[in-house]
Amino acid sequence: MTVIKAGEITRLSRGGGVETIPLITRQSAAEDNKITTGISVYPAGTGAPLHLHNCDEHVTLLEGSGEVQIAGQVTPLEPPDTTYVVAGVEHAFRNTGSTPMKILWVYSSAYVTRTFAATGETVEHLSAADQMVGDT
C-alpha cells in the first residue's frame, strides 16, 4: 500500500507558471502500480498544448474554469466536470478564467508519454521535456 502526503511532494515546474504535484507514479508507488496520477495548476491564460498520450486519461476540474478541446471539439468546464480521453486522441486543457485552474489527472498506465501535435515529438510524461508552456 502507498500513501502519498501531497504536502510533502516537491512541485514540478512545467513552464509558464504551471505547477504539477505528482502523486502516484512509478517512482512514488511502493508496489507495481497500474496508474499514474497527479494534480496540475494552470495560471490564468495558460493551458496545455494540443497533444495525445499512449494511454487513456481521466481529468477532473477541481478549481477555476477552463475548456477542453478533444478531437477538435471545444467544451467549457467548471468544477467538478470530468473528461475521459482514450489513448491516441488529440486534446488540450486551457484555463479560461481569471484565477488558477486546478485539475486532477489519472492515466491508465504506469508509463505515460505525451506526443505534441505541433511537432510530433514524443516525450516521457513529467520529464524535463514535458513542458506545458515554453518559458521565454
Side-chain angles (χ1 to χ4, degrees), residues 124-135:
E124 185 171 355
H125 183 252
L126 301 182
S127 69
D130 187 24
Q131 295 293 296
M132 296 295 93
V133 179
D135 284 328

Side-chain angles (χ1 to χ4, degrees), residues 49-73:
L50 195 60
H51 63 279
L52 57 89
H53 299 288
N54 62 313
C55 56
D56 297 357
E57 179 183 23
H58 149 262
V59 171
T60 297
L61 180 64
L62 300 175
E63 295 177 8
S65 59
E67 67 182 15
V68 62
Q69 178 181 341
I70 301 174
Q73 181 177 348

Side-chain angles (χ1 to χ4, degrees), residues 30-113:
E31 64 278 339
D32 182 27
N33 65 305
K34 307 272 190 285
I35 63 171
T36 300
T37 69
I39 295 171
S40 292
V41 179
Y42 292 82
T46 63
L50 195 60
H51 63 279
L52 57 89
H53 299 288
N54 62 313
C55 56
D56 297 357
E57 179 183 23
H58 149 262
V59 171
T60 297
L61 180 64
L62 300 175
E63 295 177 8
S65 59
E67 67 182 15
V68 62
Q69 178 181 341
I70 301 174
Q73 181 177 348
V74 177
T75 304
L77 300 173
E78 61 183 46
D81 291 347
T82 299
T83 65
Y84 185 83
V85 182
V86 297
V89 174
E90 288 185 352
H91 61 284
F93 292 88
R94 292 180 284 273
N95 182 345
T96 58
S98 59
T99 62
M101 177 184 77
K102 181 184 287 188
I103 61 171
L104 168 70
W105 41 264
V106 180
Y107 295 100
S108 64
S109 176
Y111 179 74
V112 182
T113 63

